[in-house]
Amino acid sequence: MILCVNLCPCLETNIEVETLAVGRVNTAINRRTFFTGKAMNVAAGLSRLGAHAVASGFMFEENGRMFEQEMHKEGVTYKFVWNKGRVREVYKFIDRRSMLTEVVDEATPIEEGNAKKLVETVADLSKNCSAVVLSGDVPEGLPANYMYDILSAVPSNVLKIVDTDGGRLNKLLDCGVDLIKPNLTELSRALSMKITDKDSMVRACDALIKKGAKRVLLSLGKQGAVMCDGAVKLYCTSMNVAMNSTAGAGDAMVAAATKALCGGADSAEILRCGVAAGTASVTLPDSISFLKEKYEEILQTVTVKEI
């Protein structure tokens, strides 16, 4: 069982229009709604790969039941800590010139006592897990080190996978993290250094390993990914595919890498699986995850080389 802890759920609606005219009636050409949150996306990806995934985290009473329905459809078990109010909603308007306009809700504050309740929930659920995935942001109003409190509640024999903003990584590494998945911006922010080429990427990954990370899976978007574990430094390029949406690509990468890690795979295989899932996810326009069949097809084509 793999526990995925999501602190900031989001209801995202993408609306396509010919031209967004302010102050006038606009006709939607297409509309897609995603019940999302980074760790819930990871849970969906894990389930599609055949793993037993459990989603936990904060949820809100007014529109949160739709997230339960989505997790049920994905075959994901869930146990949320419920708050009054609404899940934050984001509306993205995209016109024919690919111009993006966003309207974002203010987040509902977490109720007093529920922050502690989630830590207790994670401590209880993780006792029976092989791994815990913690990803996303910290809700406004909670202390910056709240993720540290969550991860500290996980038993030492359980694998810990983290995907969060670079500024929070340093503190979390004190918990003994088995895999982190930053992108270039997050890696640069975590170390306050400029990263310009593969040499500087590797140096930055090594710096995080020295701080306590066992493996660093550095996402490079359509360029693939880098993996460092203190012993090997590897690069894997992604397959050239038609890109329909990048939503959830990093979460797909975390899902496949986590499953491979739990299965005892070496760093090269973890890297291959992560890149294959991230690539598979961008081929789908109406999903935050990927098709297992597409993942397996791409997995046969990606190769790893030493840097």
Side-chain angles (χ1 to χ4, degrees), residues 205-250:
C205 290
D206 282 343
L208 288 181
I209 289 170
K210 289 177 182 177
K211 286 176 175 287
K214 293 182 182 178
R215 299 169 189 82
V216 180
L217 176 58
L218 175 60
S219 171
L220 304 177
K222 63 182 181 181
Q223 302 302 320
V226 167
M227 168 71 87
C228 297
D229 65 7
V232 296
K233 301 171 179 62
L234 306 168
Y235 171 69
C236 180
T237 186
S238 61
M239 179 183 175
N240 187 20
V241 296
M243 187 176 296
N244 287 297
S245 172
T246 59

Side-chain angles (χ1 to χ4, degrees), residues 9-130:
C10 178
L11 200 164
E12 180 180 309
T13 301
N14 294 354
I15 302 172
E16 295 181 36
V17 296
E18 282 292 332
T19 302
L20 184 62
V22 178
R24 298 176 60 183
V25 175
N26 293 268
T27 300
I29 301 171
N30 191 19
R31 175 189 175 105
R32 299 191 297 270
T33 299
F34 303 107
F35 302 95
T36 184
K38 290 184 68 61
M40 285 190 289
N41 299 346
V42 173
L46 283 164
S47 182
R48 292 187 181 196
L49 291 174
H52 179 191
V54 180
S56 188
F58 296 120
M59 194 51 67
F60 298 86
E61 293 175 356
E62 291 185 31
N63 55 355
R65 297 300 173 186
M66 294 183 288
F67 287 78
E68 286 189 324
Q69 293 171 12
E70 191 69 14
M71 291 294 94
H72 181 73
K73 284 194 299 183
E74 292 288 353
V76 174
T77 308
Y78 47 84
K79 184 176 183 180
F80 297 118
V81 173
W82 289 87
N83 296 265
K84 294 179 181 178
R86 295 179 62 80
V87 173
R88 181 173 62 99
E89 297 188 33
V90 176
Y91 293 88
K92 296 184 178 182
F93 298 90
I94 307 163
D95 68 17
R96 61 186 175 186
R97 297 171 298 171
S98 296
M99 292 290 290
L100 173 65
T101 302
E102 295 190 46
V103 179
V104 182
D105 267 351
E106 288 189 2
T108 302
I110 301 301
E111 291 181 57
E112 185 177 356
N114 276 351
K116 181 180 178 182
K117 185 176 180 180
L118 180 57
V119 173
E120 294 170 347
T121 299
V122 170
D124 181 56
L125 291 174
S126 60
K127 292 175 184 177
N128 300 312
C129 290
S130 57

